[in-house]
Amino acid sequence: NAGTATRTVYVVDTTAPVVTVSGDNPVTVELGTIYTDAGASATDASGPVTVVTTGTVNTSTVGTYTITYTSTDPSGNVGTATRTVYVVDTTAPVVTVSGDNPVTVELGTTYTDDGATATDLSGDVTVVTTGTVDTSKVGTYTLTYTSTDPSGNVGTATRNVIVAQADVIIRNTNNSTQNVMLRSSDNGVLGKIVEYKDTNGNDIVKDNIKDVVIQGSVTSIGDNAFEYCKALQSVTIGTSVTSIGENAFFLCTKLLSVTIPNSVTSIGEGA
């Protein structure tokens, strides 16, 4: 007589895949850059398994983002891992000074600042101006423009404002006075006077010029500076001037008096 019995053996898989994050975790990226995720891999006793990635990183907005990696084996076991991505802003706003820099203003006039603008990856930012200009005193003044973004990064720029006496003082035939300042691009050279405007924005009319004082930041009277100023009678040149260009006073037929200081070491032909 034979007796038998059986045993049923169930081979089951209750172990989830092991998901391993590739690369740094957490990872930090700069605002406005491109983030490329390094992904993840997974192993499982059942054999090869795939990994599905969910979640997004918005590098245009500062914040903390989570990327989730999920792997499911044929038995339905689910393994996960996560990566934390920090989007940070460590870049200061870029501050741009508007208008001339440096800028020269005449002693005793009113100075209106052109301000500055700022750009930042975070979006719109404001600019705060500090510093003052005292146009009643000759000197160099510094204005500082500061912009702070939401992450606390600070960008700055400065403008130098030079308060100086007028470079050229003109008295016209009607006894009106016009003051002229050199342009920053002149580099100390007084060009043709009719190409300037006075400190009130008015044109210089060469036929009206009667008397001239040249001083301040003028180091050289350029070629043809006052040519054909036929009403010009007197010229006083300050000690800042070291040279007079060719034909500087050409055909100024009424010119009777020219005061030239010892500082002038070069006088051009036909001056």
Side-chain angles (χ1 to χ4, degrees):
N1 298 315
T4 62
T6 60
R7 184 194 306 273
T8 301
V9 179
Y10 297 103
V11 178
V12 297
D13 180 6
T14 61
T15 303
V18 176
V19 180
T20 303
V21 176
S22 303
D24 293 337
N25 188 24
V27 62
T28 300
V29 296
E30 185 69 18
L31 180 71
T33 61
I34 296 174
Y35 172 67
T36 302
D37 192 65
S41 60
T43 58
D44 189 72
S46 67
V49 285
T50 60
V51 176
V52 175
T53 303
T54 55
T56 59
V57 176
N58 182 5
T59 59
S60 65
T61 303
V62 170
T64 301
Y65 300 86
T66 300
I67 304 295
T68 301
Y69 309 98
T70 304
S71 182
T72 304
D73 67 17
S75 298
N77 302 301
V78 179
T80 63
T82 60
R83 185 199 314 274
T84 300
V85 180
Y86 299 109
V87 176
V88 299
D89 180 9
T90 62
T91 303
V94 177
V95 182
T96 302
V97 176
S98 303
D100 292 337
N101 186 26
V103 61
T104 300
V105 296
E106 183 188 355
L107 181 70
T109 60
T110 300
Y111 172 67
T112 302
D113 190 59
D114 288 332
T117 60
T119 57
D120 190 71
L121 291 172
S122 66
D124 293 337
V125 286
T126 58
V127 178
V128 176
T129 303
T130 55
T132 58
V133 177
D134 184 355
T135 58
S136 69
K137 296 179 180 179
V138 170
T140 299
Y141 301 85
T142 300
L143 297 178
T144 301
Y145 309 97
T146 304
S147 182
T148 305
D149 66 20
S151 298
N153 303 301
V154 179
T156 62
T158 60
R159 186 201 313 273
N160 284 333
V161 181
I162 303 165
V163 177
Q165 60 182 343
D167 294 317
V168 181
I169 302 173
I170 297 171
R171 186 166 66 90
N172 292 308
T173 53
N174 63 358
N175 288 322
S176 65
T177 299
Q178 292 181 281
N179 294 334
V180 175
M181 306 297 293
L182 288 192
R183 301 160 296 208
S184 58
S185 59
D186 289 332
N187 295 317
V189 179
L190 176 64
K192 293 182 178 181
I193 193 64
V194 294
E195 296 178 354
Y196 293 84
K197 291 184 182 294
D198 68 16
T199 52
N200 293 317
N202 299 313
D203 291 332
I204 305 298
V205 180
K206 66 180 178 180
D207 290 339
N208 293 344
I209 300 173
K210 183 179 180 182
D211 303 309
V212 171
V213 176
I214 303 169
Q215 57 184 12
S217 63
V218 180
T219 58
S220 177
I221 301 171
D223 296 345
N224 311 103
F226 292 91
E227 65 176 354
Y228 301 115
C229 292
K230 295 183 178 180
L232 181 60
Q233 296 181 14
S234 72
V235 176
T236 301
I237 300 173
T239 57
S240 63
V241 178
T242 60
S243 66
I244 301 173
E246 296 182 359
N247 299 316
F249 301 99
F250 182 67
L251 285 181
C252 296
T253 55
K254 292 187 178 182
L255 184 56
L256 301 174
S257 172
V258 180
T259 302
I260 302 176
N262 292 333
S263 59
V264 174
T265 58
S266 173
I267 299 177
E269 184 178 352

